[in-house]
Every structure is written in C-alpha cells, then in structure tokens.
C-alpha cells in the first residue's frame, strides 16, 4: 500500500509519509514535468518583474507559488545566483573547487571536494546542499529531460563562477571549460551526503524546502523557537537586495567528466 499526495503527486509508504522532505505544493509537480527546466528561458520581462518584487521584500514562498510559469521562477533563481557579489563557492575557495575537476585520481579529487565544501561558510554550504538535492531530483525526472551534463552547463558559470570580481577575458575563457566539470563532481556525490550537511547545520531540518515549510507551519512565536527566514534563497544576499536594505557510480564519474569536456570543446 502507498499514499499519493493530491497536490504534488509524491508517493510514499504510509509509515514514511512524515519523512517526506519535499514541500507539498502544485508547483512541485509542475516543476517535475517542465521540459528543459532551467534551460528554457522564462521571459526577460516576467523574470524582471518577479525579481523587483523579490528584492523589494515580497519574496516569500507564497509569492513564488502564485507564479504559474515554472521557467519564470527558475529564471529568478539563475538571476539571483548570477548577481551575488561572489559565487557560491566564494572567491577564496574557488581555486580548490576548480582543482577538483583537474585531478586525475578520483579518490584524491573526491577528498578535496569534501574538504572544500566543508570549508565553505555555513550559508553558502547550506544553499549549495539545497541546490544539489534539488538538481538530483530534477535529474531523476524523465519529463524534465535535464541530465547532469545539461545542469552543469547551466549552473557552472553561476555557482562556480570565477575567483575574482573582475576576471580578465583570458580567465573567463579558461574557467568556462572547467566550471561545468566542478558541478558534475558535486552532482556525483551521494544524496545522503548533502542531506547530512543540512541535518547537521539546521538541527534536524533535512532539506531546505522542508525547513521553510516547517517554519511557516510550526513557528509558535516563542523566543526560543528555531526561526528560519521566509525569503527564498536566503541567507545569501545579492547587490540588489543590499540596495533595498534588506547519485551515479564512482566508476563512471570521471568518464562522464572527460566526455563532457570533449563535447564542450567541440
């Protein structure tokens, strides 16, 4: 026997329904069925309008759930990451992450990646874990048609970015071929690893979506209650917000990275 949510379509065993880690909403189902999610643009004007509401302090979960075009919400996420003062991996740790994709020995590369992720600031580490868990769900959806290679192409330049605020044209050209490979390495890490990071950092909230959902429903207003921000993509900030005052097998990982590099250089 299994239970199926009428809103988002998630299926779970009766004894496991309370362990479901995803937000229950119709938008979740829409996202799972959106072909080319994150690859298809959401419309520049629509994304700009949504961004203006967001940075003006209206960027709540309720606002985003009212948007019936998934690609617009995805466009907002990409725009937000692109406008951060520094990439999610930070300027300081950027060389470490870039080195991961260049190390031929898989065990050494994985060890360095674990170390680099562990050294990230808590806000960056949590946000990265949120995104990787979400991307891994997208990869498993046949309707989305977005495998790890497509996601790496889209988010390599924004999540990994460059090691300086104003890179030279030569640096941009060199980094462009490596950034997606770093994302591929992250996506190859086990889902349990990313969940463990969130459980450790957020006192039992197993995913970012679940943390937001629990905060909306269970916050009793007591001074000792664990409060989480209602704004999406927090606690990271972008220049605009400041202005407003605000799992694959290991054996195949490096083979896919090499193939990706060949395809990217064609």
């Amino acid at each position: 026997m299994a239970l199926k949510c009428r809103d988002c379509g998630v299926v779970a065993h009766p004894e496991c329904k309370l362990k479901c880690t995803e937000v229950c909403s119709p938008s979740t189902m829409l996202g799972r069925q959106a072909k080319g999610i994150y690859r298809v643009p959401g419309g520049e004007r629509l994304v700009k309008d949504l961004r203006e509401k967001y940075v003006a302090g209206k960027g709540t979960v309720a606002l985003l759930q009212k948007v019936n075009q998934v690609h617009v919400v995805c466009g907002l996420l990409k725009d937000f990451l692109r406008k951060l003062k520094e990439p999610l991996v930070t300027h300081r740790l950027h060389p470490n992450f870039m080195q991961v994709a260049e190390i031929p020995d898989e065990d050494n590369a994985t060890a360095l990646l674990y170390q680099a992720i562990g050294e990230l600031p808590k806000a960056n580490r949590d946000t990265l874990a949120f995104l990787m868990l979400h991307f891994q769900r997208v990869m498993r959806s046949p309707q989305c048609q977005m495998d790890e290679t497509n996601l790496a192409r889209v988010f390599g330049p924004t999540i990994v970015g460059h090691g300086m605020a104003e890179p030279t044209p030569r640096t941009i050209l060199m980094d462009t071929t490596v950034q997606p490979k770093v994302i591929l390495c992250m996506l190859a890490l086990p889902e349990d690893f990313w969940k463990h990071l969130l459980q450790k950092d957020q006192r039992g909230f197993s995913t970012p979506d679940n943390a937001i959902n629990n905060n909306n429903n269970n916050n009793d207003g007591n001074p000792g209650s664990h409060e989480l921000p209602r704004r999406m993509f927090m606690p990271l900030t972008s220049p605009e917000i400041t202005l407003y005052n605000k799992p694959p097998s290991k054996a195949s990982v490096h083979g896919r990275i090499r193939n990706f590099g060949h395809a990217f250089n064609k």
Side-chain angles (χ1 to χ4, degrees):
M1 178 180 177
L3 300 178
K4 182 176 181 180
C5 176
R6 295 177 180 176
D7 292 327
C8 67
V10 67
V11 178
H13 188 275
E15 296 180 1
C16 301
K17 62 181 181 180
L18 297 180
K19 297 181 181 180
C20 183
T21 59
E22 299 183 47
V23 170
C24 176
S25 69
S27 60
T28 303
M29 192 62 173
L30 288 173
R32 287 175 176 170
Q33 297 177 341
K35 182 179 179 180
I37 186 172
Y38 293 116
R39 186 178 69 243
V40 177
E44 184 177 353
R45 182 60 195 175
L46 293 173
V47 172
K48 181 179 179 181
D49 289 344
L50 186 59
R51 181 179 68 235
E52 290 175 352
K53 294 178 181 178
Y54 171 75
V55 299
K58 302 177 182 178
T60 63
V61 177
L63 170 67
L64 297 180
Q65 288 180 339
K66 291 179 181 178
V67 181
N68 58 9
Q69 297 186 44
V70 173
H71 298 302
V72 176
V73 178
C74 295
L76 173 61
L77 173 60
K78 292 188 292 184
D79 184 78
F80 176 86
L81 293 173
R82 186 166 51 247
K83 286 183 168 59
L84 289 173
K85 292 182 178 179
E86 62 176 358
L88 209 55
V89 302
T90 73
H91 290 152
R92 180 179 67 86
L93 293 171
H94 183 269
N96 299 32
F97 282 95
M98 296 290 279
Q99 186 181 358
V100 168
E102 303 294 348
I103 296 178
D105 183 83
E106 183 177 340
D107 291 336
N108 289 339
T110 302
L112 179 59
L113 180 58
Y114 281 136
Q115 180 180 348
I117 293 171
E119 293 179 7
L120 285 171
K122 179 180 181 300
N124 298 57
R125 185 173 62 244
D126 287 351
T127 303
L128 183 63
F130 294 172
L131 292 173
M132 290 302 128
L133 286 170
H134 169 61
F135 293 158
Q136 288 174 342
R137 290 196 293 268
V138 170
M139 288 161 47
R140 293 195 294 267
S141 171
Q143 293 88 348
C144 289
Q145 298 183 16
M146 286 294 287
D147 59 13
E148 60 268 36
T149 300
N150 285 323
L151 289 169
R153 287 180 182 273
V154 172
F155 286 98
T158 53
I159 291 179
V160 181
H162 305 286
M164 60 197 74
E166 297 182 2
T168 64
R170 183 174 183 273
T171 298
I172 294 175
L173 182 62
M174 294 178 61
D175 287 352
T176 298
T177 61
V178 182
Q179 293 161 344
K181 298 178 184 179
V182 179
I183 299 297
L184 281 175
C185 292
M186 293 182 183
L187 290 173
L189 294 180
E191 184 176 319
D192 287 343
F193 165 72
W194 298 111
K195 288 183 177 180
H196 175 71
L197 287 182
L198 298 177
Q199 291 170 347
K200 179 181 67 173
D201 289 346
Q202 300 198 12
R203 303 178 185 178
F205 290 96
S206 56
T207 70
D209 292 341
N210 193 39
I212 294 173
N213 191 43
N214 276 285
N215 181 60
N216 291 342
N217 296 329
N218 299 331
N219 186 7
D220 56 11
N222 294 331
S225 63
H226 181 64
E227 296 183 1
L228 292 172
R230 289 179 58 85
R231 180 189 288 276
M232 293 293 287
F233 317 137
M234 287 291 279
L236 294 177
T237 58
S238 71
E240 287 182 333
I241 295 176
T242 305
L243 178 64
Y244 276 84
N245 189 28
K246 4 245 180 189
S249 64
K250 284 189 175 181
S252 64
V253 172
H254 276 276
R256 286 202 305 274
I257 292 175
R258 285 194 296 269
N259 292 337
F260 179 85
H262 296 330
F264 196 86
N265 292 325
K266 287 182 179 180

